[in-house]
Amino acid sequence: MSINKTHKYEEAEPFFELGGSVVMILGAEAAISVCLLAASRGRVVARVEGGIWHSPGFEARVDCIWDGIDPPTSREQADENNQLAAQFIRDEAGVHDSFVITAPTIDGW
């Protein structure tokens, strides 16, 4: 199975199963879940890009970008960072309904 770039994913699991970092479009709740699960899966959220879903199509918005820490990092630091990423998405979800998450491994790019 491969990532469907014309689909907005509403569940977190496909992100991890299909390697969705940088390319998968996620609904707000799925994106928050990815952030909350990422550290336990050995990943740190380095960037969140928000936008608007046009079914199909993602309109990225330059006013909705959050940059986190770069790896390598500890799992504890990744968890703190990823909590901040989840809060950013919560704060933006009223305006932006879709998100792309860049989440490399905590060991590095």
Side-chain angles (χ1 to χ4, degrees):
M1 193 156 125
S2 63
I3 296 170
N4 181 348
K5 295 180 183 173
T6 63
H7 177 74
K8 179 170 74 168
Y9 289 82
E10 300 292 350
E11 305 272 332
E13 281 310 309
F15 181 88
F16 299 105
E17 293 170 358
L18 301 175
S21 181
V22 184
V23 295
M24 184 176 279
I25 300 159
L26 300 161
E29 289 302 315
I32 291 166
S33 293
V34 165
C35 292
L36 297 177
L37 293 169
S40 68
R41 308 253 180 133
R43 298 195 167 271
V44 61
V45 177
R47 175 170 273 197
V48 175
E49 298 171 78
I52 300 168
W53 181 247
H54 292 292
S55 190
F58 176 67
E59 176 190 342
R61 301 292 302 266
V62 296
D63 63 338
C64 188
I65 297 172
W66 180 87
D67 287 317
I69 59 176
D70 283 326
T73 189
S74 69
R75 186 159 297 193
E76 293 78 22
Q77 287 175 322
D79 187 52
E80 289 176 25
N81 175 80
N82 297 353
Q83 296 284 336
L84 293 173
Q87 187 58 50
F88 172 78
I89 295 167
R90 285 185 199 99
D91 292 345
E92 292 293 327
V95 177
H96 303 97
D97 64 358
S98 303
F99 298 86
V100 175
I101 296 176
T102 302
T105 66
I106 62 174
D107 297 327
W109 295 94

